[in-house]
Amino acid sequence: MARFLRRASSLSSSMLSQLQKRIIAIEFVGFVVDETRNRSFNIWVEEDEFLSCLFRRKKSKSQTSDSGEENMSKKDLALKVAMDQITASFGEGSIMWHGRSISPRQTAVVSTGSFSLDIALGIGGLPKGRVVEIYGPEASGKTTLALHVIAEAQKQGGYCVFVDAEHALDPALVKAIGVDSEKLLISQPDSVIKTMDLLQNNAVAALIPKGELDGEMGDAHMAMQARLMSQALRKLTHSLSLAQTILIFTNQVRSKLSTFGGFGGPSEVTCGGNALKFYSSVRLNIKRTGLVKKGDETTGSQVVVKIVKNKHAPPFKTAEFELEFGKGICREAELIDLGCKHKFITKAVPYLYMNDQTFHGKDSLKRYLSENETAREELVKKLRDKLISAKPDNEKETNVDQESETAANQA
């Protein structure tokens, strides 16, 4: 009897050990979020089912990754590894796919203060994060145009710095153009090294290298300014792009010295070497074409701006407008000229007709537009719809052809 009991106990212990091997207890102590309450719970799972489920899940993940890598060619796989290494070394965003990035499709701009110049630029103003050069002869309106850009940037809530390398900024002109002088930073450095750490530079020709400043009168400093400009612009371009800051240079022109009499080459060149030409996204050449007179008194100048370089739209377009002495760009005169050109204003000397109203002379219509904001904005809207929103004829024909082809394919 005792032997039987010993055999039974051994048999039961072996069966229990097999059963323990067969079944394991996995305790999940946590919280289940349902509609009524949170509770802890225990789950008993068979060992074979648990392991097989875990194995199937792990296997499915590995098969998915393997199939993804198999679908990639060796070239694509090598490119992915190279991009991962670059990202790990230089940080997120150091290399990316251009079409898959989340950067805005349209370029952020700041208006120039001139309606016709904004249209000629093709994007509505000067691009943010880029270098811009405004050059021309003396008293052509370079600083005035730069101050108008500052006024427009302040309207967008931006901060501006004016580096007065010539030490000749007129506070009255700054206020008349519409710049908030209390929110304008100004610096008057004595060397180009100090200037390059700031945001907006005035007159490249007036930037003095420190070696020239410390030297004697009459010492030769061959290409020192050009080398400094090249080094500075290489350092600044990346920072400008990240900060979305416009760096505007106003530059002068010089007569080119040629050993062969200048046949076939330009007679005028800009100061500071070629670096500024290379790094500028927009280059504007401003020239005076005439004077604006009221009786015997000269009240302003007529200027033309030619877009010599433009990385965002087709270049070599021109814009004409008036600069009133002590006031800046005359927007009303600009709108009148564009309105006459596009038949929104009828001109019959000495009368002008707009919105069934008759005006005696251009000055009368200018006063009307300056005093009547509704009429001015209505004219601006008509011109914008005409010049910006309207598509060219060839583009319309292309769209019509594409629509007809699509309809034929659907049929």
Side-chain angles (χ1 to χ4, degrees):
M1 186 66 182
R3 185 181 297 175
F4 176 75
L5 291 174
R6 284 195 299 271
R7 287 182 178 178
S9 63
S10 63
L11 180 62
S12 62
S13 62
S14 64
M15 291 177 65
L16 184 60
S17 64
Q18 290 179 3
L19 186 62
Q20 287 176 348
K21 290 180 180 179
R22 177 72 177 170
I23 299 176
I24 60 173
I26 303 174
E27 185 179 11
F28 293 86
V29 181
F31 295 100
V32 178
V33 179
D34 57 14
E35 295 179 357
T36 57
R37 63 189 180 278
N38 296 336
R39 58 186 175 85
S40 62
F41 59 93
N42 298 332
I43 299 178
W44 296 85
V45 185
E46 291 190 6
E47 181 184 15
D48 294 342
E49 293 181 2
F50 176 74
L51 295 177
S52 62
C53 180
L54 183 64
F55 177 74
R56 284 197 302 269
R57 187 176 179 183
K58 188 174 182 181
K59 185 176 180 181
S60 64
K61 287 185 177 180
S62 62
Q63 286 178 352
T64 304
S65 61
D66 292 341
S67 62
E69 292 182 356
E70 288 176 359
N71 292 333
M72 297 175 64
S73 64
K74 293 182 179 180
K75 185 189 298 184
D76 296 336
L77 190 60
L79 178 61
K80 184 178 183 301
V81 171
M83 291 179 64
D84 292 340
Q85 290 178 354
I86 293 172
T87 303
S89 301
F90 301 101
E92 191 70 27
S94 55
I95 187 169
M96 65 189 78
W97 295 102
H98 183 265
R100 305 175 194 175
S101 62
I102 58 175
S103 58
R105 300 295 180 183
Q106 294 183 350
T107 305
V109 298
V110 174
S111 174
T112 60
S114 168
F115 184 78
S116 58
L117 184 55
D118 289 342
I119 293 173
L121 285 168
I123 55 175
L126 299 179
K128 291 184 178 180
R130 301 300 183 96
V131 179
V132 178
E133 181 186 12
I134 304 173
Y135 70 95
E138 71 283 352
S140 57
K142 302 182 293 295
T143 303
T144 302
L145 182 58
L147 288 173
H148 273 283
V149 177
I150 290 177
E152 296 296 329
Q154 287 182 338
K155 292 178 182 178
Q156 296 182 6
Y159 293 97
C160 302
V161 179
F162 191 95
V163 182
D164 186 17
E166 294 177 337
H167 297 238
L169 183 62
D170 184 9
L173 178 63
V174 171
K175 186 174 291 187
I177 286 177
V179 177
D180 188 355
S181 57
E182 295 183 357
K183 296 182 179 180
L184 176 66
L185 297 171
I186 184 170
S187 176
Q188 295 179 331
D190 56 0
S191 67
V192 67
I193 296 176
K194 295 180 181 179
T195 304
M196 287 306 163
D197 294 331
L198 300 170
L199 301 181
Q200 174 161 339
N201 296 270
N202 183 47
V204 176
L207 300 180
I208 306 173
K210 197 171 187 305
E212 183 178 345
L213 189 67
D214 297 337
E216 298 293 334
M217 296 292 292
D219 291 348
H221 303 278
M222 185 66 68
M224 186 181 294
Q225 190 184 52
R227 288 197 301 270
L228 286 173
M229 289 290 296
S230 181
Q231 294 172 6
L233 288 171
R234 282 198 297 269
K235 294 179 181 180
L236 287 172
T237 48
H238 179 66
S239 301
L240 293 173
S241 179
L242 291 178
Q244 288 292 286
T245 301
I246 304 177
L247 179 61
I248 301 177
F249 288 93
T250 60
N251 205 353
Q252 299 175 5
V253 292
R254 296 282 190 268
S255 298
K256 185 176 182 181
L257 299 177
S258 178
T259 55
F260 298 100
F263 294 105
S267 59
E268 292 182 342
V269 293
T270 54
C271 308
N274 292 324
L276 191 54
K277 298 178 183 179
F278 299 151
Y279 284 97
S280 296
S281 295
V282 176
R283 298 185 71 224
L284 304 176
N285 184 10
I286 182 170
K287 292 182 179 179
R288 177 190 292 173
T289 58
L291 299 175
V292 178
K293 292 187 177 182
K294 189 174 182 180
D296 296 334
E297 182 184 1
T298 302
T299 59
S301 59
Q302 187 78 23
V303 299
V304 58
V305 179
K306 184 178 181 180
I307 304 172
V308 179
K309 181 181 179 180
N310 191 355
K311 287 188 176 181
H312 298 273
F316 303 113
K317 293 184 178 180
T318 59
E320 296 184 11
F321 49 86
E322 290 183 10
L323 291 180
E324 293 185 350
F325 295 150
K327 296 181 180 180
I329 297 174
C330 183
R331 188 174 178 84
E332 289 77 16
E334 187 179 17
L335 293 176
I336 292 172
D337 293 338
L338 288 173
C340 293
K341 182 178 179 181
H342 296 283
K343 310 301 182 182
F344 294 116
I345 299 175
T346 305
K347 187 175 182 180
V349 180
Y351 296 101
L352 294 171
Y353 304 93
M354 187 185 75
N355 297 336
D356 298 331
Q357 297 186 37
T358 304
F359 302 92
H360 187 273
K362 189 175 182 179
D363 292 336
S364 176
L365 183 54
K366 284 168 60 176
R367 285 194 302 270
Y368 173 76
L369 291 176
S370 62
E371 296 171 359
N372 194 333
E373 185 177 356
T374 304
R376 184 174 68 250
E377 293 301 325
E378 182 181 354
L379 180 58
V380 169
K381 185 178 182 302
K382 290 179 180 179
L383 291 171
R384 184 176 286 111
D385 294 339
K386 176 74 173 180
L387 299 173
I388 298 177
S389 302
K391 296 181 179 179
D393 294 337
N394 55 358
E395 186 176 350
K396 290 182 180 180
E397 292 176 359
T398 304
N399 293 337
V400 171
D401 295 338
Q402 290 177 353
E403 291 176 359
S404 61
E405 290 178 2
T406 305
N409 294 330
Q410 292 176 355

